[in-house]
Amino acid sequence: MPRKVHVQTTINGETVEYLCEPRQSLLEVLRDVLHLTGAKEGCNNGNCGACSVILDGRLVNSCLVLGAELEGKSLETIEGLADPDQLDPIQDAFLENAALQCGICTPGFIMAAKALLDNNPNPTEYEIRYWLAGNLCRCTGYDKIVRAVQDAAQTTS
Amino acid sequence: MRAFEYVPAKTVAEATSLLAEKGDQAKPLAGGTDLIVMVRENRRQLERMVDIKDLPETNVLSYSPDTGLDLGAAVPCHKIYADDAISAAYPGLIDAAKIIGGTAIQGRASVGGNLCNASPAADTIPPLIVLGAICVIAGADGSTREVPVEEFCTAPGQTVLERGELLVSFKVPAPPQNSSSFYLRFIPRNEMDIAVVGAGASVVLDDAKTSIVSARISLAAVAPTPLLAEEAGASLAGKEISDDAINAAAEAAQAIARPISDMRGTAEQRTHLVGVLTRRALNGAIQRVKEA
């Protein structure tokens, strides 16, 4: 059995150290080692986006990153979005627009929306739909999600 | 996932020797969007992943209108299309980099990985081929060799890479005057899909932009490897731009396609698509020269 890897990294602004097996994905490390269970396992092969996180400023699927790759990097997850007493404007917009039903895809959509708005504060509907194409939702039919992102863009810009 | 060892390489020499030690039990890791899935699904068993994405040589992204583009094998798609000068010089490559997977995939997936994965349907390979890109490969003995992209894939999932060899970067020639490129694919959805057929074209026009000086055409998902449709491209050299010339080139491209029927499409549909997409790729590249 290969030795565990020691990783020091930054997660949601805090320095974090952990040990992981080389074969453990970042998603597994987040959920099973660090108990940050916001990122969800959907397909585990990069199709559904339920595990979306922001790594060094880029949206990635945490199921397609190894936990061992995080050394010296900076990670943002859904857990880092809200202040203790205030939700992020994107989270508020998802609630106000009822942009979720079962909720499994929601953390991934919100992280993808955050990466979009960090990058492009005033996206068109077309840009929103293409940017979110890697996030699948089987409940809402997407319209409410797109409207929530449009609302969040108006609030934050 | 079965256990393997993860080793981040600090130099190209270290990477090639780490790969050579384990032979086919080791693989280089760049974006991981294919490799991690293959290992997880037991389609590939490995003792070692060698992370090569923090090497200066695999991260180079430098373009000059005189010498062309040096593109590191581990550079993710999003960095390529974020560069305005590269986007203007090689629009066919950008067409492909923007349609591989979704945003999160493009945040990690590299053109080098797309080539090494050697899928017949890989989107970035036809544009690399029509742009005349050359692979720079490092060997475990410290040597370097160069292979044109059209000779790199040998079968589905198979490449010319020998034990210990690492694809380090691509050299893409500077685009000639009055030239442009285009890539498109047919998929039944709008995004997040794998090409049923893909076609890339590059053209060089004369100063009047009424005749074709030279052209290259490449096809994806119609043979065990991506194809350079050499005769189809050559048939356009010296021809005035016309529907007849473009239709003849598209027919020549159809003649070399040897597609299979599978869940994505039938051989008959694919052959038909080669004609349609070749025409569109050529017209798209010509239009870009005219609009420049």
Side-chain angles (χ1 to χ4, degrees):
Chain A
M1 178 74 90
R3 290 164 57 157
K4 283 194 173 183
V5 181
H6 174 258
V7 176
Q8 181 171 326
T9 190
T10 304
I11 300 181
N12 299 325
E14 286 179 25
T15 302
V16 175
E17 287 183 68
Y18 57 80
L19 286 174
C20 69
E21 291 179 46
R23 66 175 174 174
Q24 282 182 297
S25 69
L26 173 57
L27 177 61
E28 290 169 301
V29 168
L30 287 172
R31 294 183 59 86
D32 302 341
V33 179
L34 302 173
H35 308 298
L36 294 170
T37 55
K40 299 290 187 269
E41 180 183 308
C43 65
N44 218 15
N45 63 19
N47 272 290
C48 79
C51 65
S52 299
V53 295
I54 299 177
L55 179 59
D56 282 347
R58 290 304 305 184
L59 185 72
V60 300
N61 297 311
S62 60
C63 73
L64 297 185
V65 177
L66 299 178
E69 290 181 66
L70 264 274
E71 179 66 33
K73 303 249 190 298
S74 176
L75 184 72
E76 295 167 73
T77 70
I78 189 76
E79 286 85 354
L81 236 56
D83 287 333
D85 49 12
Q86 183 156 24
L87 291 177
D88 184 273
I90 303 172
Q91 293 172 313
D92 269 332
F94 270 65
L95 282 176
E96 289 303 316
N97 286 278
L100 63 152
Q101 287 179 34
C102 86
I104 287 284
C105 71
T106 311
F109 265 104
I110 289 177
M111 293 313 287
K114 177 173 166 49
L116 170 62
L117 298 180
D118 285 351
N119 195 34
N120 176 1
N122 279 304
T124 62
E125 181 183 341
Y126 181 91
E127 287 170 329
I128 293 170
R129 286 185 183 273
Y130 265 85
W131 184 276
L132 298 178
N135 292 79
L136 302 185
C137 171
R138 300 288 80 155
C139 306
T140 64
Y142 301 104
D143 269 347
K144 290 180 174 185
I145 291 173
V146 173
R147 270 182 254 148
V149 178
Q150 287 173 315
D151 264 13
Q154 291 210 319
T155 318
T156 53
S157 64
Chain B
M1 237 188 301
R2 289 188 191 210
F4 55 83
E5 179 190 21
Y6 167 82
V7 193
K10 288 173 202 73
T11 63
V12 169
E14 187 190 3
T16 53
S17 77
L18 283 164
L19 291 168
E21 244 173 55
K22 295 280 183 185
D24 62 6
Q25 284 298 306
K27 273 279 193 187
L29 171 70
T33 53
D34 284 310
L35 184 64
I36 291 174
V37 177
M38 276 192 276
V39 173
R40 176 176 293 136
E41 294 177 355
N42 267 327
R43 282 186 281 142
R44 174 101 220 183
Q45 282 168 35
L46 288 184
E47 289 175 19
R48 176 182 286 170
M49 274 193 206
V50 181
D51 192 339
I52 55 97
K53 73 177 157 300
D54 288 326
L55 307 175
E57 293 87 345
T58 59
N59 276 290
V60 64
L61 184 66
S62 104
Y63 168 68
S64 123
D66 300 323
T67 56
L69 173 66
D70 282 318
L71 170 61
V75 175
C77 288
H78 79 89
K79 280 196 184 160
I80 303 171
Y81 60 68
D83 187 306
D84 292 338
I86 294 172
S87 300
Y90 306 105
L93 181 59
I94 303 303
D95 292 333
K98 282 187 167 172
I99 58 172
I100 294 186
T103 316
I105 297 293
Q106 292 160 18
R108 290 260 293 174
S110 65
V111 172
N114 199 218
L115 180 62
C116 289
N117 191 50
S119 160
D123 287 308
T124 60
I125 303 180
L128 289 170
I129 289 175
V130 300
L131 291 166
I134 306 288
C135 305
V136 180
I137 298 167
D141 57 358
S143 65
T144 301
R145 67 178 175 126
E146 297 190 349
V147 175
V149 170
E150 60 267 31
E151 293 169 19
F152 188 86
C153 300
T154 54
Q158 303 292 315
T159 72
V160 297
L161 290 180
E162 307 271 356
R163 187 180 183 118
E165 282 191 322
L166 175 70
L167 174 65
V168 175
S169 61
F170 299 97
K171 286 190 204 169
V172 191
Q177 278 286 310
N178 302 318
S179 73
S180 195
S181 55
F182 200 96
Y183 174 78
L184 80 171
R185 67 182 178 193
F186 176 80
I187 55 173
R189 319 171 54 194
N190 289 324
E191 74 300 292
M192 289 288 289
D193 208 346
I194 292 170
V196 179
V197 174
S202 66
V203 297
V204 182
L205 304 187
D206 65 347
D207 286 339
K209 300 184 182 176
T210 54
S211 293
I212 297 167
V213 175
S214 64
R216 279 166 76 87
I217 295 163
S218 175
L219 307 171
V222 293
T225 63
L227 296 180
L228 169 62
E230 213 159 355
E231 284 177 27
S235 77
L236 289 163
K239 294 264 171 68
E240 219 168 285
I241 298 168
S242 69
D243 287 347
D244 283 350
I246 285 167
N247 289 341
E251 280 172 29
Q254 283 176 303
I256 66 155
R258 8 183 240 286
I260 55 169
S261 294
D262 66 9
M263 60 184 277
R264 289 184 219 291
T266 62
E268 189 187 6
Q269 182 195 18
R270 285 190 158 107
T271 303
H272 172 73
L273 284 168
V274 169
V276 175
L277 299 182
T278 300
R279 287 194 292 274
R280 289 184 187 173
L282 284 166
N283 283 321
I286 290 167
Q287 198 57 35
R288 281 178 172 161
V289 182
K290 289 184 172 173
E291 284 166 2

